[in-house]
Amino acid sequence: GPLRRHEKEKIVFQTPHRRADGSLYPAEVHLQLFERGGKPVFLAIINDITERKLAERRSDGERRVLELIAGGAPLVKVLDELTRECAELCAGAMCSVLLLDADGRHLRHGAAAGLPADYVAAIDGIEIGSCVGSCGTAAHTGRTVIVSDIATDPLWADCKELALPRGLRACSSVPILGAMGEVLGTFATYWREPRAPTARDLAVHERSASLASVAILRHRTVEALRAGEERFRELAENIDEIFWMTDQAKTQMIYVSPAYEKIWGRTCASLYASPSDWLDA
């Protein structure tokens, strides 16, 4: 007889499900109750939600990184989080960030997840060039470099002795670019077997490089502001002129240079406590 659907008798839940090859994947199961000839019949629809779960995982990771940046976390902490997130999203991957030195010629260690410590130390300070592994070449050209087999790729001809003994067989590197397209560093992903990154892997790498750019540029801005403040303070505190700053209403003293005490014969503390004291002087 015909199936009669019970609209309210529906259950939706998520559970691991096994493919025909035996591998597991995250599944969303829609279980609907029907009735046929007075007997209950259940129909199950199973949807593969692997992509949705990965998208949620990427979104959660990006949110954590952006929260660290917004909260003023040290650059090394932000980059550590980025490399860990990328390594988890790209199964079996190891990740690193190298920062272009002030001389524009060398790459310095920024962060790494899963890479051997001695390899991280060995590539710290490597000089960029047109044929210097994946990262050195990416930093030199400003373009993504994909090497699926370090043992045979000519880009690694002079560097493979650093990678192969440590079990590193493939490496892709995305340049980290600034607002004007300048190279700030590289975001690299390594594997222990010869392989090329999937389209999904590359999307994760490129997004990670973009977030790294935001973190690096913010760090540089903060450092520049701090250096500017230090230079101003050094100037103001070592010349025989008085500099002062008040709020817009001129009711609060924000800053007064030490020369105030020498020239006016009153303490700076007294002026902070009572901004109108200079009138009495």
Side-chain angles (χ1 to χ4, degrees):
L3 288 174
R4 186 164 65 87
R5 182 174 180 174
H6 292 252
E7 294 294 340
K8 295 183 179 179
E9 300 298 331
K10 183 178 181 180
I11 300 174
V12 179
F13 60 93
Q14 295 179 7
T15 183
H17 199 266
R18 195 173 298 279
R19 296 186 177 91
D21 62 4
S23 62
L24 291 175
Y25 66 92
E28 185 174 80
V29 180
H30 294 249
L31 194 61
Q32 177 70 56
L33 174 64
F34 291 84
E35 185 178 301
R36 171 182 284 173
K39 295 182 179 180
V41 178
F42 287 95
L43 175 65
I45 299 175
I46 302 174
N47 297 319
D48 186 339
I49 57 172
T50 301
E51 292 300 324
R52 187 206 304 177
K53 286 295 185 183
L54 286 171
E56 292 173 355
R57 181 70 181 82
R58 284 196 299 267
S59 179
D60 290 343
E62 289 180 9
R63 186 182 67 253
R64 283 192 293 272
V65 170
L66 290 171
E67 286 174 350
L68 288 174
I69 295 173
L75 179 61
V76 64
K77 185 173 182 179
V78 177
L79 297 181
D80 279 343
E81 182 69 19
L82 260 178
T83 52
R84 283 197 300 270
E85 287 291 336
C86 182
E88 290 179 10
L89 287 168
C90 302
M94 297 159 283
C95 302
S96 78
V97 172
L98 294 175
L99 303 175
L100 191 63
D101 206 350
D103 64 8
R105 297 173 50 206
H106 298 85
L107 291 171
R108 298 294 179 183
H109 172 68
L115 284 170
D118 57 345
Y119 177 76
V120 171
I123 64 172
D124 185 17
I126 192 170
E127 186 169 1
I128 68 174
S130 58
C131 190
V132 186
S134 300
C135 292
T137 306
H140 179 74
T141 63
R143 297 178 180 178
T144 297
V145 174
I146 297 174
V147 173
S148 58
D149 192 347
I150 290 174
T152 60
D153 197 292
L155 293 182
W156 279 83
D158 297 330
C159 308
K160 61 185 178 182
E161 69 277 4
L162 295 176
L164 295 178
R166 296 171 174 89
L168 306 177
R169 294 298 309 272
C171 178
S172 298
S173 184
V174 179
I176 301 170
L177 303 177
M180 303 301 293
E182 71 278 17
V183 174
L184 305 176
T186 60
F187 194 100
T189 307
Y190 295 79
W191 286 272
R192 292 195 178 279
E193 69 280 347
R195 56 160 291 182
T198 64
R200 182 195 298 158
D201 291 334
L202 280 176
V204 173
H205 304 168
E206 290 168 358
R207 181 57 179 162
S208 297
S210 295
L211 290 171
S213 174
V214 174
I216 294 167
L217 291 175
R218 183 192 180 282
H219 171 75
R220 290 186 175 184
T221 299
V222 170
E223 289 298 304
L225 287 172
R226 182 177 293 116
E229 291 172 356
E230 290 175 355
R231 286 194 295 270
F232 168 77
R233 186 171 296 277
E234 183 178 357
L235 171 68
E237 294 183 358
N238 288 280
I239 64 174
D240 291 330
E241 299 288 346
I242 299 174
F243 291 89
W244 72 93
M245 291 183 287
T246 66
D247 63 351
Q248 192 170 11
K250 300 186 183 303
T251 58
Q252 181 180 357
M253 185 63 61
I254 297 174
Y255 174 79
V256 61
S257 60
Y260 176 78
E261 298 185 352
K262 179 179 179 181
I263 296 175
W264 293 73
R266 291 172 176 250
T267 66
C268 292
S270 68
L271 191 60
Y272 285 122
S274 179
S276 62
D277 271 8
W278 68 273
L279 289 171
D280 296 335

